[in-house]
Amino acid sequence: MIRYSYLAFALYIKHAQLHPIGEAELISSIVTFFKWIGITAKDVGFKISSRKVLQEVLSLYSVPEASFAKACIIIDKMGKIPMEEIKKELKLVDLSNEAIEDLLQVLSMKSLTELEDSCTNTRIEDCYIVSGDDCVAVKSGWDEYRIAYGMQTQQLVIRRLTCISPTTAVIALGSEMSGGIQDVRAEEVAINSKSGVRIKTGVGRGGFVKDIYVKGFTMHTMKWPFWMMGNYGSHLDDNWDPNAIPVI
């Protein structure tokens, strides 16, 4: 039941391209999610709610309503029989190979950390930021999970900011950038920091950072306009790929 609810919410984040970065935003997203799939206060039973949640998720993978019960039974076998057997049984409910791989990938995730971080068509404007770390941190996920998931951060506009961060950066790209970061435009930013734009990455991240456009930075106390570091060695687990080299 918990697996089903998490799966549905995780896929909703993918579908709506949300970026839950705080408790208020996360709670708001959960509420929006349940409204979106039609769960209301009338659905007081966990059985009713969980069925509607899972049915909405499976519909994203083109599982017909008539096959819903069969798919639930198969999903419940995860961890009990080999994954190859799960795949064979899911094929019998008319899922494509791609849909099966995506569905099982999400079902196998352990936390929202594996899904979070990407955004598209986003603006950060007219802010005054004081931080002990990077003022604006642009990310797209960690290591092998995000490489496989493949959701980029893109079409990001940052403008009219005043940023104070004495030891780090005004805009940091990474180090969790395995889904890729592209088309970032930063304009009219007043800087009181160690660096203007900082690219952070490391072996195992994969992904890319490209098409970064900067204009009209006012630099007060700054050591480097651009700063790039490729020695970030933290990883979610031991499954990261040492051959996954970022492209900058």
Side-chain angles (χ1 to χ4, degrees):
M1 194 172 299
I2 293 174
R3 178 197 294 272
Y4 297 160
S5 298
Y6 161 68
L7 166 64
F9 180 56
L11 285 176
Y12 176 62
I13 292 173
K14 173 183 177 181
H15 178 79
Q17 296 185 328
L18 299 175
H19 186 198
I21 56 176
E23 291 186 14
E25 289 86 354
L26 184 56
I27 292 171
S28 175
S29 297
I30 293 171
V31 171
T32 302
F33 161 66
F34 282 113
K35 288 181 179 178
W36 182 63
I37 63 172
I39 292 178
T40 67
K42 295 180 180 179
D43 299 315
V44 294
F46 280 109
K47 184 178 292 186
I48 296 174
S49 296
S50 295
R51 190 185 196 283
K52 293 184 74 172
V53 167
L54 185 56
Q55 188 170 336
E56 177 62 33
V57 171
L58 293 179
S59 72
L60 295 177
Y61 291 97
S62 301
V63 178
E65 187 173 352
S67 302
F68 174 78
K70 293 179 181 179
C72 288
I73 292 171
I74 297 168
I75 290 171
D76 192 52
K77 294 179 182 179
M78 287 189 65
K80 302 173 185 177
I81 65 173
M83 192 62 74
E84 289 303 315
E85 293 299 318
I86 298 287
K87 292 179 181 179
K88 289 179 182 178
E89 293 192 24
L90 286 173
K91 286 183 180 179
L92 298 178
V93 293
D94 298 324
L95 267 74
S96 67
N97 289 332
E98 182 180 0
I100 290 171
E101 291 297 333
D102 286 347
L103 181 60
L104 294 181
Q105 179 187 351
V106 176
L107 280 168
S108 301
M109 291 180 178
K110 299 176 182 178
S111 73
L112 284 175
T113 305
E114 298 171 19
L115 280 173
E116 65 184 8
D117 285 343
S118 294
C119 59
T120 297
N121 295 330
T122 304
R123 293 186 297 175
I124 303 173
E125 298 178 327
D126 302 304
C127 298
Y128 184 94
I129 302 173
V130 179
S131 174
D133 205 334
D134 304 315
C135 290
V136 177
V138 181
K139 301 176 182 291
S140 65
W142 279 33
D143 295 355
E144 70 277 9
Y145 301 106
R146 202 54 175 202
I147 293 172
Y149 195 65
M151 182 183 288
Q152 304 167 12
T153 285
Q154 57 188 348
Q155 286 101 53
L156 172 62
V157 174
I158 303 168
R159 59 190 172 199
R160 297 188 300 274
L161 269 58
T162 297
C163 300
I164 300 175
S165 181
T167 60
T168 53
V170 169
I171 299 170
L173 308 174
S175 72
E176 300 90 335
M177 39 64 69
S178 302
I181 298 173
Q182 67 177 1
D183 191 12
V184 177
R185 302 177 66 88
E187 303 176 347
E188 301 175 45
V189 178
I191 298 173
N192 293 275
S193 182
K194 191 174 184 178
S195 65
V197 176
R198 182 184 185 188
I199 299 175
K200 304 158 64 173
T201 186
V203 173
R205 290 288 192 264
F208 57 84
V209 176
K210 64 181 182 180
D211 300 330
I212 311 301
Y213 175 83
V214 176
K215 177 183 177 181
F217 274 29
T218 302
M219 306 173 184
H220 297 293
T221 57
M222 186 172 61
K223 191 172 183 179
W224 300 292
F226 294 94
W227 182 14
M228 184 165 67
M229 298 180 66
N231 61 348
Y232 281 81
S234 57
H235 301 281
L236 281 172
D237 53 37
D238 294 331
N239 297 320
W240 62 280
D241 182 1
N243 296 314
I245 307 299
V247 176
I248 310 298

